[in-house]
Amino acid sequence: MCGIVGVLGQHEVSPIILDALKRLEYRGYDSAGIATVHQGTLDRRRAVGKLINLSDTLVHQPLPGRAGIGHTRWATHGGPSVANAHPHQVGRVAVVHNGIIENFRALRAEMTEAGAQFSSETDTETIAQLASHHLDQGMTPVQAARATLKRLEGAFALAFVFAGEDDLIVCARRGSPLCIGHGEGEMYLGSDAIALAAMTDRITYLEEGDWAILTRAGAQIFDAEDRQTSRPLTRVDLAQTRVDKSGHRHFMAKEMAEQPAVLQQALAAYSGAGGIALPEGLDFARADRLILVACGTAHYACQVAKYWFEQFAGLPVELDIASEFRYRAPVLGASNMAVFVSQSGETADTLAALRHVRGHVGQVVSVVNVPSSSIARESDVVLPIHAGPEIGVASTKAFTAQLQVLALMALEAGRARGFLDAATHAARMDDLRAAPGYIAQALDREDEIRRLTEMLANARDVLFLGRGAMFPLALEGALKLKEISYIHAEAYAAGELKHGPIALIDRDLPVIIFAPHDALFDKTVSNMQEVMARQGRVMLISDAAGLAEVDDVPHWLQMPAVPPLIAPMVYAIPAQLIAYHTALHRGTDVDQPRNLAKSVTVE
Ligand code: F6R
């Protein structure tokens, strides 16, 4: 979602801010802007669409200044337009903002009553109006910013610059992440360390409720009670902030290709002398129930994991999507373990669900890709998935890495609860160790998959089917296809077909079926026959043994024969590649599909 950058530099900052905004493009945005202070004068440039449009604007109307803030906006209040783009400037102050100001209507009415003229539909402009009002009342810029912050409700990160102040940025974090970068006689601000990677690896993460005064000499940080405080300065591993495509056409292609290496890396990170070495504090023996909460792809990873925790650990699992979880009345208990799964670690709904259970369950655990994220910081135990930065909006390597960490947890839970004997545990660990090799074999089928997807390019709808752990895989396949090719796709448990969706089947409907030759194969094939009997265009994805048992399937893809535990990781590859190549056929923007944001920091 929205991205924030701020620079107090020794040189012209517009090009530096633009470059940093480019590094945030992956988060998804629909307009962008920069404001600078030059010889005391505050000015700004904004443009709708990609950053190239802002860059063009800056060529024709340069924006001098050595202090400035920049923003990429993902529209919430008011559509994408120049008027709604950030920074919002009112009088002597300009503001950039991520998140949502929940009381903006009341504030807007109050400011309008006081004579303010609004020029946008955004909630953000109320922040600028309030700060400007305080400046007009004679407050200093820092006082005005502070007084403004006290009036705001909601979840946000924001930064202010002021006319007449070319060595000052005031920033605040409440609900949305923000970090400060330290340079040589320069200071930076970013919504994540990736934005600042070209400038510095010395980062201070603001904590929830913090606000800060930045000058070129350093940062003064205050907590939510206005007490001056210090937050640790950390060195960010630059490898974790690399955002190049390494010769691939898209980030998504690179990230899919990285999966064997990522899984190997993560497995190594969790390997110890006695097998699996999970972080201390994770106590499956005292858990009587597991609550898995996540959104989107991460939720589908949890859905696969439910089968594993039940099968390998005999542990009851409750599963929910984060945006629903806290709006029902979930029954929570001290012996429950709640696990929150999130690539970004910043998803607003997942974070809110975590806060909802805190104090009501025994253990709060997170499985994240960003260990410095809010979800990680607020958990009792954190299991990083070690996938490295995921830039493509469609989650790929994070999904398989989440699956792997959840599989390790399920096996460890089985061991800790005495449910899994040592030999079975060792055999399943061998399966996990074999996964990277099988994933590499699945990736080798890319050409075949590309040819198969030609039949999807002009489809209006696509149906995905699977049983057991292949059902969440079908859901993931449909989500990937929708996201990046914009083709309507649905997924069903194959057995549900005749309870409604079979009415959709005709000769125009492609039906993609994930069916490894496992205990459920025959049942899935029966459902496939029902589709074929109605002229549905079946594409069966199975292994040699499975394909040998069926004939007359019009389209098929042969996968390696794999142990059931790792089938979801391996079958994730065709799910991803089908979406990717269909999107290429259709010419959509694979890495930044329309309307989508990488890190969903609003509810
Ligand atoms: C799909 C996708 C989204 C995310 C979801 C949760 O490809 O990327 O569905 O999985 O927005 O995001 P995280 O995992 O960051 O909480």
Side-chain angles (χ1 to χ4, degrees):
M1 293 207 143
C2 308
I4 287 179
V5 174
V7 179
L8 294 171
Q10 300 289 345
H11 307 280
E12 293 297 299
V13 292
S14 292
I16 301 172
I17 293 175
L18 192 64
D19 190 57
L21 290 176
K22 279 187 191 141
R23 300 173 65 83
L24 288 177
E25 277 194 298
Y26 76 97
R27 295 165 73 104
Y29 69 105
D30 37 47
S31 58
I34 295 177
T36 60
V37 185
H38 176 57
Q39 295 173 351
T41 303
L42 183 61
D43 201 0
R44 63 179 168 166
R45 304 284 178 266
R46 299 176 293 170
V48 174
K50 295 288 181 195
L51 280 171
I52 189 76
N53 299 338
L54 179 61
S55 180
D56 283 351
T57 306
L58 288 166
V59 169
H60 297 112
Q61 300 166 268
L63 192 60
R66 295 182 175 193
I69 51 178
H71 191 259
T72 45
R73 173 175 188 256
W74 188 84
T76 57
H77 296 73
S81 67
V82 171
N84 288 336
H86 302 204
H88 286 281
Q89 182 177 348
V90 178
R92 288 177 286 147
V93 59
V95 176
V96 290
H97 159 227
N98 291 355
I100 288 179
I101 306 300
E102 283 168 1
N103 59 336
F104 92 97
R105 279 192 186 80
L107 293 174
R108 192 173 169 122
E110 179 188 319
M111 299 308 302
T112 307
E113 179 85 354
Q117 303 271 333
F118 279 81
S119 56
S120 77
E121 301 155 273
T122 64
D123 51 343
T124 308
E125 195 186 345
T126 53
I127 309 173
Q129 292 280 5
L130 267 173
S132 172
H133 175 70
H134 291 312
L135 288 173
D136 291 346
Q137 287 178 323
M139 288 189 189
T140 65
V142 171
Q143 287 168 339
R146 189 61 202 132
T148 302
L149 288 171
K150 286 196 185 300
R151 301 290 316 277
L152 305 179
E153 290 167 19
F156 53 79
L158 47 85
F160 300 89
V161 286
F162 303 88
E165 301 284 346
D166 43 22
D167 190 18
L168 178 69
I169 295 176
V170 181
C171 60
R173 173 200 169 135
R174 205 189 293 163
S176 290
L178 205 55
C179 62
I180 293 170
H182 303 257
E184 298 303 326
E186 300 197 332
M187 290 295 286
Y188 318 107
L189 183 69
S191 34
D192 64 32
I194 289 178
L196 307 183
M199 301 172 243
T200 185
D201 62 348
R202 293 188 300 142
I203 297 289
T204 300
Y205 292 96
L206 291 183
E207 302 270 337
E208 190 53 21
D210 284 355
W211 64 282
I213 303 169
L214 264 57
T215 64
R216 288 183 184 80
Q220 279 177 278
I221 303 176
F222 302 86
D223 67 14
E225 272 74 49
D226 289 345
R227 290 176 298 232
Q228 189 160 356
T229 185
S230 66
R231 303 293 180 208
L233 191 152
T234 50
R235 288 246 176 212
V236 172
D237 176 4
L238 284 178
Q240 291 297 310
T241 54
R242 271 187 62 185
V243 289
D244 63 283
K245 294 182 194 151
S246 304
H248 290 271
R249 188 165 162 198
H250 297 100
F251 283 110
M252 184 180 175
K254 174 188 172 224
E255 288 156 7
M256 288 188 292
E258 282 173 351
Q259 289 177 103
V262 161
L263 263 62
Q264 213 142 24
Q265 219 165 278
L267 205 53
Y270 286 113
S271 293
I276 305 174
L278 296 186
E280 277 182 25
L282 198 62
D283 188 353
F284 287 109
R286 78 179 159 100
D288 64 357
R289 193 165 66 111
L290 210 58
I291 302 168
L292 299 177
V293 183
C295 299
T297 287
H299 172 72
Y300 298 145
C302 292
Q303 204 165 331
V304 172
K306 179 180 163 77
Y307 294 86
W308 293 335
F309 280 107
E310 289 170 350
Q311 182 187 350
F312 298 123
L315 200 49
V317 175
E318 183 172 334
L319 180 76
D320 210 341
I321 41 180
S323 55
E324 288 297 319
F325 178 72
R326 76 194 162 110
Y327 294 114
R328 48 189 183 85
V331 180
L332 306 170
S335 36
N336 297 168
M337 178 191 285
V339 181
F340 299 88
V341 181
S342 172
Q343 187 284 127
S344 62
E346 300 295 347
T347 299
D349 285 315
T350 311
L351 181 58
L354 183 154
R355 290 176 179 158
H356 188 71
V357 304
R358 164 125 342 266
H360 303 289
V361 296
Q363 303 172 68
V364 175
V365 177
S366 63
V367 175
V368 295
N369 197 25
V370 184
S372 58
S373 62
S374 307
I375 289 174
R377 287 151 175 271
E378 296 191 27
S379 305
D380 302 327
V381 180
V382 183
L383 288 94
I385 59 170
H386 299 286
E390 190 179 66
I391 304 299
V393 160
S395 192
T396 52
K397 62 176 178 174
F399 177 65
T400 42
Q402 284 161 351
L403 286 176
Q404 174 165 264
V405 171
L406 289 163
L408 286 169
M409 288 171 73
L411 295 182
E412 180 55 16
R415 195 200 54 74
R417 296 164 59 78
F419 194 83
L420 207 56
D421 62 70
T424 313
H425 186 275
R428 296 297 75 83
M429 278 304 293
D430 284 346
D431 293 347
L432 281 182
R433 286 188 199 100
Y438 285 122
I439 288 177
Q441 287 181 39
L443 286 164
D444 286 344
R445 307 274 146 87
E446 178 158 5
D447 272 350
E448 238 169 293
I449 295 174
R450 185 176 43 75
R451 280 194 296 277
L452 279 170
T453 53
E454 279 162 21
M455 76 183 242
L456 301 181
N458 297 316
R460 206 190 57 184
D461 311 283
V462 176
L463 191 60
F464 287 77
L465 300 176
R467 274 178 185 261
M470 287 295 122
F471 167 44
L473 239 287
L475 289 162
E476 171 63 0
L479 177 64
K480 287 282 98 84
L481 190 69
K482 277 187 272 225
E483 288 187 277
I484 62 169
S485 76
Y486 314 150
I487 295 175
H488 170 241
E490 295 242 25
Y492 277 91
E496 269 294 289
L497 190 64
K498 49 193 154 316
H499 299 289
I502 200 162
L504 297 171
I505 308 284
D506 63 17
R507 64 179 69 249
D508 294 326
L509 185 73
V511 182
I512 300 176
I513 302 173
F514 294 105
H517 192 253
D518 59 14
L520 299 172
F521 180 77
D522 291 343
K523 295 198 183 298
T524 310
V525 165
S526 302
N527 303 129
M528 181 183 83
Q529 301 297 356
E530 292 157 8
V531 174
M532 286 169 56
R534 290 160 182 83
Q535 273 88 46
R537 294 158 68 199
V538 164
M539 183 194 295
L540 176 63
I541 304 178
S542 185
D543 46 35
L547 293 171
E549 282 190 25
V550 293
D551 40 41
D552 66 17
V553 181
H555 307 281
W556 48 268
L557 176 71
Q558 186 176 325
M559 298 295 290
V562 297
L565 171 62
I566 60 170
M569 284 102 141
V570 179
Y571 279 67
I573 304 305
Q576 298 164 355
L577 284 171
I578 284 171
Y580 178 71
H581 283 286
T582 307
L584 291 190
H585 288 310
R586 291 169 68 94
T588 50
D589 187 344
V590 169
D591 282 334
Q592 291 167 38
R594 69 185 181 202
N595 304 339
L596 291 178
K598 182 66 184 162
S599 178
V600 184
T601 49
V602 296
E603 271 195 54

